[in-house]
Amino acid sequence: MEYRIEKDSMGEVRVPADKLYGAQSQRSIDNFKIGLEKMPEEIIRAFAILKKASAIANNKLGVLDDTRAKAITQACDEILEGKHEGNFGLAVWQTGSGTQSNMNLNEVIANRANQILGDGETKVHPNNHVNKSQSSNDTFPTAMHIAAVLQVEDLLLPSLREFKKTLEAKSSQYKDLVKTGRTHLQDATPLTLGQEISGWVRMLERSEEMLTSSIEYLKDLGLGGTAVGTGLNAAEGYDVEVAAQIGALTGKKFKTAVNKFHSLTSKDEVVFVHGAMKALAADLLKIVNDIRWLASGPRCGIGELIIPANEPGSSIMPGKVNPTQCEAVSMVVAQVLGNDVTVGFAASQGNFELNVYMPVMIYNFLQSGRLLADAMKSFNDHCAAGLEADEEKITHFVQNSLMNVTALNPYIGYDKSAEIAKKAHNDGSTLKEAALALGYLSAEEFDRYMDLKAMCAPKTVKVK
């Protein structure tokens, strides 16, 4: 491999000749050989947006000349187009401020900008020009916010809405199919399958509302606070202008944070949004667990739902079909809940003017968002869309449920109703047979009161 010599404030460093990054990126590669986790692509893209917006803002404010601003902007555009992959593989496990990743972008952009400018006298410096009006301490938090907003609004929420749309259709399809309810894993009073699924739909609606609401807090950007929040060395008006430029580049309503000291040291907004993702994960686990319980069988379980047969379920048992999509979502939920612990703990750390756990925090945040989005899409496409009801089994169960006796409470009271249920259970008889044997109701009265469909909606009972 061929190398070239790059210099920084600490001296000379050998860098692979085919790479655009410089000395500080190479020092990070050499000094942090920890794990396999690399800085997420979403952060690299967020940084490219940030650096482009900064060049435009600094130029507009008169502190960066047209020639350098244009070259920096072009280099950022190329990064956003994916033209310089292989230059950004720094470890997540680096400085907690993300300084090396900030410099990684500064160096790549500066070296590429100099290639664009050619051999003339004008040169772009990674610190003096690409990093103008900035510090790693305000750029990394800003990149976190940009990446998080783009992922939640453009990836996670669309996936959630598509899944919700499928469940809405299933709820409508089965709105009149009466089934037995279950509480405590025991039989309960009836409801329709459509009503049961509507509960799942509402979970997704509420998660959508919480995500949409919470993400607004991440649209406050700390850029312009520089090292400790005071804005030292930033051009006057830079914070407002650069936020406007980031908004224009992304189509999102970003704005400058009112208090940059908060932006640099606190990560409460990231915790809050990840909390909404955790709530979504908890609901997803409830939904997929319901589905795999209701699809258990097909002959020796509940078997009220039929899931698509996507692949063989066993290497030894022929014909077995397993709820694999449910299991995949369950494992994603386990990861997200673990990530939430890391995000919360990391946000509680750091000292004085800066949180220094930011790389691990955003790595986990972005992993959660990506996993949830992918899992919902996979589950929707390969399970929910093909979900069917076994109407014969559902009808059998609901017609034989002892808890239907609850409909008799207003007419003969709780105690007599309980006696009917116990007798039917002990004798193996039907509720009607037990009620007639005890003499509490006539056949005509039983049939009139035992309306399963009517039990699925609230009503006022008038007893003469």
Side-chain angles (χ1 to χ4, degrees), residues 131-343:
N131 203 60
K132 180 174 283 295
S133 300
Q134 305 153 59
S135 162
S136 297
N137 295 353
D138 66 350
T139 58
F140 202 90
T142 298
M144 289 173 67
H145 282 213
I146 295 171
V149 168
L150 292 176
Q151 187 191 69
V152 169
E153 291 193 342
D154 297 344
L155 180 68
L156 181 57
L157 284 172
S159 183
L160 183 155
R161 288 166 183 147
E162 194 64 26
F163 183 29
K164 181 183 68 173
K165 182 179 176 181
T166 296
L167 293 183
E168 286 172 336
K170 296 293 179 183
S171 180
S172 177
Q173 179 182 353
Y174 295 116
K175 61 183 173 56
D176 295 320
L177 180 57
V178 180
K179 58 161 289 178
T180 190
R182 294 178 179 87
T183 59
H184 302 269
L185 295 180
Q186 304 295 308
D187 301 341
T189 55
L191 75 168
T192 70
L193 179 56
Q195 289 173 323
E196 187 169 43
I197 296 175
S198 77
W200 306 342
V201 172
R202 182 55 183 155
M203 290 177 196
L204 296 179
E205 287 176 345
R206 183 47 58 93
S207 286
E208 180 182 3
E209 291 167 1
M210 290 188 289
L211 282 166
T212 301
S213 173
S214 65
I215 200 66
E216 292 301 313
Y217 293 102
L218 287 179
K219 292 179 181 177
D220 286 358
L221 302 180
L223 203 56
T226 65
V228 296
T230 60
L232 178 67
N233 290 348
E236 184 177 356
Y238 167 82
D239 57 346
V240 174
E241 183 61 35
V242 75
Q245 293 298 333
I246 291 171
L249 292 174
T250 60
K252 309 296 182 184
K253 294 182 180 180
F254 288 109
K255 60 185 183 299
T256 191
V258 297
N259 188 303
K260 308 301 191 300
F261 305 103
H262 166 265
S263 298
L264 270 59
T265 194
S266 174
K267 296 294 162 278
D268 49 10
E269 298 143 335
V270 176
V271 174
F272 190 44
V273 180
H274 198 276
M277 289 199 287
K278 180 176 71 171
L280 170 61
D283 279 341
L284 289 176
L285 185 57
K286 185 269 189 293
I287 292 169
V288 301
N289 275 342
D290 279 358
I291 289 173
R292 60 175 162 181
W293 269 108
L294 293 171
S296 61
R299 293 190 175 180
C300 300
I302 295 175
E304 290 186 348
L305 294 181
I306 303 169
I307 59 175
N310 295 321
E311 66 275 320
S314 172
S315 61
I316 189 172
M317 292 174 280
K320 198 170 192 299
V321 176
N322 292 332
T324 53
Q325 289 293 321
C326 297
E327 292 163 5
V329 173
S330 299
M331 289 188 286
V332 164
V333 170
Q335 186 66 48
V336 171
L337 297 185
N339 286 349
D340 192 70
V341 174
T342 299
V343 169

